[in-house]
């Protein structure tokens, strides 16, 4: 079996073309690849799981284009991904890979904790019950709302690669360790950050409706994003984890000075690998020109590090799992 990934999941080393094809052999192992923070691990697990299910099961047993089929794929991919990642993370990346853009509330970790170790007695029976959600005492309780995940007309959500990939699992584990040691302080910060996230979703929905009446005031949206960034930096300091490191703060602040850039954050678990920006359509040329000449500056154990920032060719999408035409993979088939 050959597993390939869209080039925008990874930073492009110097040996790669400046305008690579959709799928590129970077001549490095997966462990050595620099990720852009788009959820490549979850996308890989989800697509691999879907491919295996599609190969071994006919549509009568599992139709991946049906609500029930996607739910079962989601459940199995969550189990596989959490096992591979050490059961750390929200599960949002897998949900987005299956369902597309959505507002997501994670499932209770106890659902997957109930599986026990792979190979333990009756593991397959327990896994089947979890995947099919057939055990009344252990029900999936995540919430997926696609209608709430909207981007107003005239705006697009973009990603920029900073080519300093971070290990999400390592970052998350450090934050969770701080949370465990400081439960009261962490709970307050968590609740405030949750409120900021809910405010962001509500404002985007309001603007999506108002845009039909040609209302394009993004001041409240800017303030909400700035508040979320402030809370992320506060968590960075308290947990001693680079959720929004100084290098990323400088890049985000510089981008936000460009007319038409509404705001941005360091997505996911944070770190050095990427930033996400909400940008008005007409601001794209100015943003691209700025990034073409922008040089990041950071440091590691070996000394100063300088690098370029690349605007990825991706944006928000409501589509999740999709069956592709085999012809597009012809060059990769034996």
């Amino acid at each position: 079996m050959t597993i390939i990934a869209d080039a925008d999941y990874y930073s492009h080393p110097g040996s790669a073309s400046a305008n690579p094809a959709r799928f590129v052999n970077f001549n490095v192992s997966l462990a050595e690849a620099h990720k852009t923070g788009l959820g490549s691990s979850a996308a890989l697990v989800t697509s691999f799981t879907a491919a295996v299910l599609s190969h071994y099961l006919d549509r009568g047993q599992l139709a991946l284009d049906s609500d029930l089929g996607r739910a079962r794929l989601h459940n199995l991919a969550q189990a596989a991904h959490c096992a591979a990642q050490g059961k750390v993370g929200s599960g949002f990346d897998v949900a987005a890979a299956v369902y597309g853009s959505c507002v997501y509330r994670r499932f209770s970790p106890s659902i997957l904790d109930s599986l026990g170790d792979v190979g333990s007695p009756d593991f397959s029976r327990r896994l089947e019950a979890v995947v099919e959600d057939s055990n009344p005492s252990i029900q999936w309780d995540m919430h997926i709302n696609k209608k709430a995940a909207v981007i107003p007309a005239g705006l697009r959500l973009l990603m920029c690669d900073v080519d300093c990939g971070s290990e999400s699992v390592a970052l998350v584990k450090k934050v969770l360790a701080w949370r465990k040691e400081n439960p009261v302080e962490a709970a307050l910060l968590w609740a405030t950050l949750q409120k900021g996230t809910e405010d962001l979703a509500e404002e985007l929905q309001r603007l999506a409706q108002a845009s039909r009446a040609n209302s394009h005031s993004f001041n409240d949206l800017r303030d909400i994003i700035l508040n979320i960034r402030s809370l992320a930096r506060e968590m960075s300091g308290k947990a001693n984890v680079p959720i929004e490191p100084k290098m990323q703060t400088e890049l985000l602040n510089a981008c936000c000075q460009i007319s038409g850039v509404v705001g941005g954050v360091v997505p996911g678990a944070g770190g050095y690998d990427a930033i996400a920006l909400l940008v008005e359509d007409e601001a794209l040329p100015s943003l691209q020109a700025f990034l073409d000449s922008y040089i990041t500056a950071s440091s590691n154990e070996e000394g100063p590090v300088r690098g370029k920032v690349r605007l990825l060719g991706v944006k928000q999408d409501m589509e999740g799992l999709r069956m592709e035409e085999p012809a597009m993979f012809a060059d990769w088939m034996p």
Side-chain angles (χ1 to χ4, degrees):
M1 177 174 289
T2 299
I3 296 176
I4 58 178
D6 192 291
D8 277 341
Y9 277 124
Y10 302 98
S11 298
H12 297 170
S15 59
S17 167
N19 296 295
R22 181 176 180 185
F23 307 113
V24 178
N25 185 349
F26 292 122
N27 296 311
V28 297
S29 68
L30 188 59
E32 296 174 310
H34 288 182
K35 299 191 292 183
T36 56
L38 280 171
S40 58
S41 298
L44 185 155
V45 169
T46 302
S47 58
F48 176 81
T49 302
V52 171
L53 293 176
S54 298
H55 180 75
Y56 286 104
L57 301 178
D58 59 39
R59 284 186 55 83
Q61 295 172 291
L62 185 68
L64 292 179
D65 56 354
S66 69
D67 290 342
L68 178 60
R70 290 196 178 223
R72 289 181 174 176
L73 169 63
H74 167 271
N75 299 347
L76 181 55
Q78 291 285 17
H81 189 245
C82 286
Q85 299 270 40
K87 295 186 179 178
V88 175
S90 68
F92 171 74
D93 283 354
V94 169
V98 175
Y99 293 103
S101 296
C102 60
V103 172
Y104 172 82
R105 186 187 68 205
R106 72 157 301 162
F107 55 86
S108 298
S110 59
I111 295 173
L112 296 181
D113 288 338
S114 69
L115 290 174
D117 296 331
V118 176
S120 60
D122 289 332
F123 174 81
S124 60
R125 179 185 56 79
R126 292 192 300 273
L127 178 62
E128 180 181 12
V130 165
V131 170
E132 296 187 354
D133 204 16
S134 59
N135 186 342
S137 64
I138 306 175
Q139 294 283 297
W140 285 89
D141 55 356
M142 75 285 182
H143 181 68
I144 297 171
N145 186 349
K146 289 183 63 66
K147 293 182 179 180
V150 293
I151 299 295
L155 282 183
R156 63 179 67 191
L157 181 63
L158 302 175
M159 290 279 288
C160 297
D161 170 33
V162 191
D163 193 14
C164 294
S166 308
E167 285 292 335
S168 297
V169 174
L171 296 178
V172 171
K173 284 183 176 178
K174 290 180 180 178
V175 172
L176 293 180
W178 167 77
R179 185 183 187 182
K180 184 177 181 179
E181 294 172 0
N182 304 273
V184 176
E185 183 180 25
L188 178 60
L189 184 53
W190 235 263
T192 308
L193 188 55
Q194 175 66 24
K195 178 62 167 56
T197 303
E198 293 170 355
D199 289 345
L200 177 63
E202 291 175 3
E203 180 63 11
L204 287 172
Q205 290 183 73
R206 186 189 72 78
L207 288 168
Q209 296 171 354
S211 65
R212 300 188 184 97
N214 297 317
S215 174
H216 292 286
S217 174
F218 301 124
N219 290 333
D220 289 344
L221 186 59
R222 289 188 179 93
D223 290 341
I224 292 170
I225 295 172
L226 287 173
N227 180 56
I228 291 173
R229 285 184 57 197
S230 176
L231 294 169
R233 289 194 300 272
E234 182 179 350
M235 187 179 292
S236 287
K238 292 181 181 298
N240 194 27
V241 174
I243 298 172
E244 186 186 299
K246 180 181 178 182
M247 180 187 80
Q248 299 288 59
T249 297
E250 294 172 351
L251 174 58
L252 285 168
N253 289 346
C255 288
C256 290
Q257 294 301 309
I258 300 171
S259 178
V261 176
V262 178
V265 298
V266 182
Y272 297 89
D273 52 13
I275 62 170
L277 298 170
L278 269 175
V279 180
E280 295 181 55
D281 290 341
E282 58 266 27
L284 283 177
S286 298
L287 176 63
Q288 183 66 72
F290 169 76
L291 294 175
D292 284 345
S293 60
Y294 190 87
I295 302 295
T296 63
S298 62
S299 60
N300 59 26
E301 296 177 354
E302 299 177 357
V305 176
R306 294 168 64 83
K308 297 281 289 181
V309 180
R310 180 172 63 95
L311 184 62
L312 301 179
V314 297
K315 63 180 182 66
Q316 76 280 356
D317 201 318
M318 297 305 294
E319 186 179 20
L321 183 73
R322 179 174 62 200
M323 186 72 75
E324 301 280 16
E325 291 296 328
M328 71 186 302
F329 307 103
D331 292 341
W332 297 88
M333 293 180 179

